[in-house]
């Protein structure tokens, strides 16, 4: 894969999202860049209780006649403050390793400690299996791909029937085709996973397919995949995709069920 040249935006995204101790590699910037310094990142401010821009508010001395040093291997320190309250801060320590063509960076310190991102709707749906979900999220946040994928597979395995219940209920209340309802019922039967994947790809009402992508089929696919041979990076991608498929289906279905219930009770009062 060809590497991208390191830009300010890359550094910003890296500071905002990269986990501790994971490396990112870029082509060395052509521009005459003497440090990794950038002026601003976006972060959630606990004091303002909303996402805010955070800026480096330290005075920048750059006196005339000062020599411009080329960017070297070593470490960099970043500090940013919320532009609104100026009381919340973010600090990062980064190691950079340069050679002739590339630059590799890793975060080796971060304050405050970054929070794990959990999906509320999924947490509720998985309330009986939170242990596996929690472990999956922790592994994902460290980019431990193999482990994250293994836990997400377990989550899908344990909850696929509950998910089918939701899909079925939605399909019934929205008057889906008989062919879709039959296919959904077939998914409960005992049959080889390869058959189930084919059926799952037909069984989802079209309003639950995003751009024609079928999240239910993808989830069945996950269950059939051997993972011992997959490289870590690929497992990480699959873990992320699994998490997103689950989140998409569960939150769509939950909000549709809620709308239906509200509609019914309103119309009942007419
Ligand atoms: Zn603030």
């Amino acid at each position: 894969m060809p590497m991208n040249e390191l830009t300010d935006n890359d550094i910003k995204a890296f500071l905002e999202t990269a986990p501790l101790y994971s490396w990112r590699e870029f082509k060395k910037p052509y521009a005459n860049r003497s440090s990794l310094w950038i002026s601003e990142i976006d972060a959630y401010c606990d004091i303002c209780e909303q996402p805010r821009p955070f800026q480096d508010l330290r005075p920048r001395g750059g006196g005339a006649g000062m020599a411009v040093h080329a960017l070297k291997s070593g470490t960099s320190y970043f500090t940013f403050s919320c532009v609104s309250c100026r009381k919340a801060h973010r600090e990062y320590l980064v190691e950079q390793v340069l050679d002739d063509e590339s630059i590799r960076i890793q975060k080796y310190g971060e304050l405050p400690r970054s929070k794990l991102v959990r999906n509320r709707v999924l947490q509720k749906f998985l309330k009986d299996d939170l242990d596996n979900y929690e472990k999956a999220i922790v592994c994902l946040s460290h980019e431990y791909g193999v482990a994250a994928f293994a836990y997400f597979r377990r989550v899908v395995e344990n909850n696929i029937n509950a998910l089918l219940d939701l899909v079925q209920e939605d399909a019934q209340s929205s008057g889906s085709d008989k062919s879709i309802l039959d296919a959904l019922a077939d998914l409960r039967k005992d049959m080889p996973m390869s058959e189930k994947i084919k059926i799952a790809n037909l069984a989802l009402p079209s309003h639950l397919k995003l751009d024609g992508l079928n999240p239910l089929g993808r989830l069945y696919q996950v269950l059939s995949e051997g993972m011992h041979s997959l490289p870590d990076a690929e497992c990480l991608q699959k873990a992320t995709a699994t998490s997103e498929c689950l989140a998409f289906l569960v939150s769509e279905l939950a909000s549709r069920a809620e709308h239906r219930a509200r509609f019914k009770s309103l119309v009942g009062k007419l």
Side-chain angles (χ1 to χ4, degrees), residues 11 57 110 152 159 213:
I11 298 173
L57 302 174
E110 174 165 9
F152 268 117
N159 296 280
L213 289 174

Side-chain angles (χ1 to χ4, degrees), residues 12-26:
K12 176 174 182 285
F14 169 78
L15 292 177
E16 288 167 357
T17 62
L20 282 178
Y21 308 120
S22 66
W23 287 94
R24 298 285 188 271
E25 187 171 14
F26 299 90

Side-chain angles (χ1 to χ4, degrees), residues 23 36 74-76 93-97 104-108:
W23 287 94
L36 293 178
T75 58
S76 304
L93 293 166
V94 171
E95 179 186 15
Q96 72 267 9
V97 179
R104 303 196 323 127
I105 48 179
Q106 76 158 329
K107 233 185 245 175
Y108 67 98

Side-chain angles (χ1 to χ4, degrees), residues 44-50 52-54 81-88:
Y44 186 85
C45 178
D46 285 324
I47 295 173
C48 302
E49 296 187 323
Q50 55 178 306
R52 298 301 305 141
F54 281 61
S81 307
C82 169
V83 295
S84 302
C85 65
R86 298 195 167 213
K87 288 191 185 106

Side-chain angles (χ1 to χ4, degrees), residues 28-220:
K28 218 154 79 170
Y30 290 125
N32 213 349
R33 150 158 239 154
S34 62
S35 76
L36 293 178
W37 186 85
I38 56 171
S39 61
E40 181 177 295
I41 60 165
D42 293 305
Y44 186 85
C45 178
D46 285 324
I47 295 173
C48 302
E49 296 187 323
Q50 55 178 306
R52 298 301 305 141
F54 281 61
Q55 288 179 348
D56 187 343
L57 302 174
R58 293 172 297 177
R60 292 267 295 162
M66 271 178 58
V68 178
H69 301 287
L71 182 58
K72 291 191 303 232
S73 291
T75 58
S76 304
Y77 169 71
F78 298 82
T79 178
F80 304 94
S81 307
C82 169
V83 295
S84 302
C85 65
R86 298 195 167 213
K87 288 191 185 106
H89 309 288
R90 286 274 187 287
E91 291 176 59
Y92 303 94
L93 293 166
V94 171
E95 179 186 15
Q96 72 267 9
V97 179
L98 285 85
D99 61 25
D100 289 346
E101 267 124 45
S102 72
I103 171 166
R104 303 196 323 127
I105 48 179
Q106 76 158 329
K107 233 185 245 175
Y108 67 98
E110 174 165 9
L111 276 178
R113 184 182 185 139
S114 68
K115 293 193 178 94
L116 298 182
V117 182
R118 299 169 180 86
N119 180 303
R120 291 257 164 86
V121 187
L122 265 190
Q123 270 182 316
K124 200 171 151 198
F125 173 69
L126 299 171
K127 59 184 183 305
D128 298 326
D129 199 21
L130 270 185
D131 198 38
N132 282 323
Y133 178 59
E134 194 67 14
K135 287 175 181 166
I137 293 294
V138 170
C139 293
L140 209 52
S141 76
H142 289 290
E143 301 191 338
Y144 297 159
V146 173
F149 189 43
Y151 281 119
F152 268 117
R153 269 188 59 156
R154 189 61 64 79
V155 168
V156 173
E157 211 168 15
N158 292 347
N159 296 280
I160 194 84
N161 280 330
L163 187 65
L164 277 185
D165 290 342
L166 281 185
V167 176
Q168 213 156 16
E169 192 192 305
D170 181 85
Q172 274 156 0
S173 345
S174 50
S176 288
D177 281 4
K178 189 171 178 308
S179 63
I180 287 180
L181 294 172
D182 287 347
L184 284 169
D186 281 347
L187 283 174
R188 315 269 182 171
K189 292 181 188 154
D190 207 17
M191 63 175 86
M193 196 45 83
S194 55
E195 284 302 304
K196 289 203 178 197
I197 293 170
K198 276 187 216 152
I199 294 173
N201 276 320
L202 302 171
L204 205 61
S206 56
H207 59 259
L208 294 173
K209 293 179 192 163
L210 206 59
D211 294 331
L213 289 174
N214 187 321
L216 192 61
R218 289 291 299 272
L219 290 175
Y220 271 95

